[in-house]
Amino acid sequence: MVASSKLHHAQVMIENMLPYESMLEHILKSFLAAEAGSQTVFEEERPVKRVGLIVFSSNSSLCGAFNANIVKIMKQAIGDYEHLGKENIIVYPIGRKVAEQAAKLGFKSPVDYAPLVDHPDVQQCIELAVQLGTMYRNGEIDKVELIYHHFKSAGSQILTRKTFLPIDVTSELQEDRERDLKSTIATKESQEYLKKRQQERQQEREQEEVKPLNDNFIVEPDMDTVLDSLVPKLLHLMIYTALLDSVASEHAARMVAMQTATDNADELLRDLNLQYNKSRQAAITSELLDIVGGSVNN
């Protein structure tokens, strides 16, 4: 019940963020349609000499394989960049469980981000995004990746590893963001609804025609400068969205894990009860046989 209540709260937070996400997406699509060749400093790819990993987990356990899967992907990512040297890999663990594992591997977080999991704060997400954006702009870091669970529904959380910087704005805007934010129960019907809604959304995207800015819009000082202000806002949103997705996924995973544990305990109780009744019946039968055998002998 507690996990279900927290999941509902996390779903409401995601739902409250969606209008801002959709409007920012619409504005960026319009700008990119008008100026297809424009590029910001955050989109420039360069040889990777230093990399950052933003990894999201929970602060507590009892949520199935949620944390174990995240740690596995983090270790895999660290292995991919092992040739750079440990000093050139920066891990930003958001969640106590992944922070503990990172510390065991010799990666200490510059800041304690664990409180963000219990109390998601958009301002702290913006500060982290600004810090990483500044480091990328100044050449102090060449690539940043996000590792988290993307929340689809109460019964489906997708383990995701994607590039944060350099950002591919076009592919980021085309990503599937469909979620079931109404149900807190992992049922077959909810999965079918989500699948159907995803297909409908895909058809809408294919039919959607993004109109570029017409001559009635005056962009000052110029298109590139405006995009330099808009793209960082998308970066801010990406970290905050990943945090909300991770929090919702954690509570969904915990709810499923607790339900599974309850079902297993009920099944074990039934088996033990059956075994007890069989043993009791066998003891009664044995006593009756002894009584009958004694009567016959007398």
Side-chain angles (χ1 to χ4, degrees):
M1 291 296 291
V2 175
S4 177
S5 176
K6 288 184 176 181
L7 172 60
H8 175 69
H9 181 66
Q11 288 174 318
V12 170
M13 292 184 71
I14 294 175
E15 202 167 5
N16 292 339
M17 175 270 299
L18 290 180
Y20 177 81
E21 180 185 62
S22 59
M23 182 55 68
L24 179 60
E25 181 179 321
H26 172 72
I27 294 171
L28 278 169
K29 281 182 177 179
S30 299
F31 270 73
L32 291 174
E35 197 76 17
S38 62
Q39 190 179 43
T40 68
V41 66
F42 303 107
E43 299 173 78
E44 296 173 1
E45 294 190 17
R46 52 178 181 253
V48 178
K49 298 177 182 177
R50 202 161 189 240
V51 68
L53 302 174
I54 309 174
V55 192
F56 296 81
S57 76
S58 70
N59 283 340
S60 56
S61 53
L62 299 178
C63 47
F66 179 82
N67 292 313
N69 291 336
I70 283 289
V71 170
K72 182 180 177 181
I73 295 296
M74 180 186 72
K75 289 181 178 178
Q76 181 181 322
I78 291 173
D80 292 343
Y81 298 111
E82 197 173 7
H83 63 280
L84 299 176
K86 188 174 286 188
E87 66 279 2
N88 291 319
I89 302 175
I90 309 173
V91 179
Y92 297 88
I94 301 180
R96 191 172 296 115
K97 290 299 178 180
V98 75
E100 291 172 356
Q101 290 296 323
K104 288 180 182 178
L105 296 172
F107 299 96
K108 291 187 178 180
S109 173
V111 181
D112 180 17
Y113 294 106
L116 267 179
V117 177
D118 295 325
H119 305 285
D121 182 11
V122 66
Q123 190 56 43
Q124 273 190 274
C125 293
I126 291 174
E127 289 172 3
L128 177 58
V130 169
Q131 177 190 343
L132 292 169
T134 303
M135 291 173 68
Y136 188 81
R137 187 191 291 268
N138 296 337
E140 298 172 20
I141 200 167
D142 304 302
K143 189 175 183 180
V144 182
E145 290 190 7
L146 291 172
I147 300 175
Y148 67 102
H149 281 89
H150 174 65
F151 180 81
K152 295 286 288 183
S153 69
S156 175
Q157 302 86 43
I158 301 172
L159 190 57
T160 304
R161 176 186 172 187
K162 69 177 183 181
T163 302
F164 177 69
L165 285 170
I167 184 174
D168 186 345
V169 178
T170 304
S171 63
E172 181 62 29
L173 294 177
Q174 291 175 349
E175 277 206 355
D176 173 35
R177 291 184 173 84
E178 199 63 45
R179 303 176 179 90
D180 178 12
L181 300 174
K182 300 298 182 185
S183 174
T184 57
I185 304 174
T187 62
K188 184 179 179 181
E189 289 75 13
S190 65
Q191 298 300 314
E192 291 176 351
Y193 163 77
L194 190 62
K195 187 176 180 181
K196 181 180 178 182
R197 186 70 187 91
Q198 188 173 340
Q199 292 174 348
E200 292 174 355
R201 180 61 180 154
Q202 184 63 32
Q203 292 175 356
E204 289 174 5
R205 284 181 177 176
E206 291 174 357
Q207 297 172 359
E208 182 182 11
E209 182 181 354
V210 180
K211 297 180 180 179
L213 300 175
N214 54 39
D215 295 335
N216 294 329
F217 286 87
I218 300 174
V219 181
E220 293 185 352
D222 56 70
M223 188 75 75
D224 288 339
T225 305
V226 174
L227 281 175
D228 273 339
S229 298
L230 285 176
V231 171
K233 294 187 181 298
L234 181 60
L235 295 174
H236 304 165
L237 183 66
M238 285 173 67
I239 292 184
Y240 185 57
T241 302
L243 173 62
L244 295 183
D245 273 340
S246 179
V247 171
S249 297
E250 174 200 344
H251 296 313
R254 179 169 285 109
M255 186 179 67
V256 172
M258 292 298 100
Q259 185 61 51
T260 303
T262 302
D263 293 343
N264 290 339
D266 289 340
E267 185 178 351
L268 179 61
L269 187 61
R270 284 194 296 270
D271 291 342
L272 290 174
N273 195 35
L274 180 62
Q275 186 177 345
Y276 168 76
N277 288 333
K278 284 182 177 179
S279 300
R280 178 172 168 270
Q281 188 65 42
I284 293 172
T285 304
S286 177
E287 290 177 6
L288 287 173
L289 288 174
D290 290 342
I291 294 171
V292 172
S295 300
V296 170
N297 291 334
N298 291 333

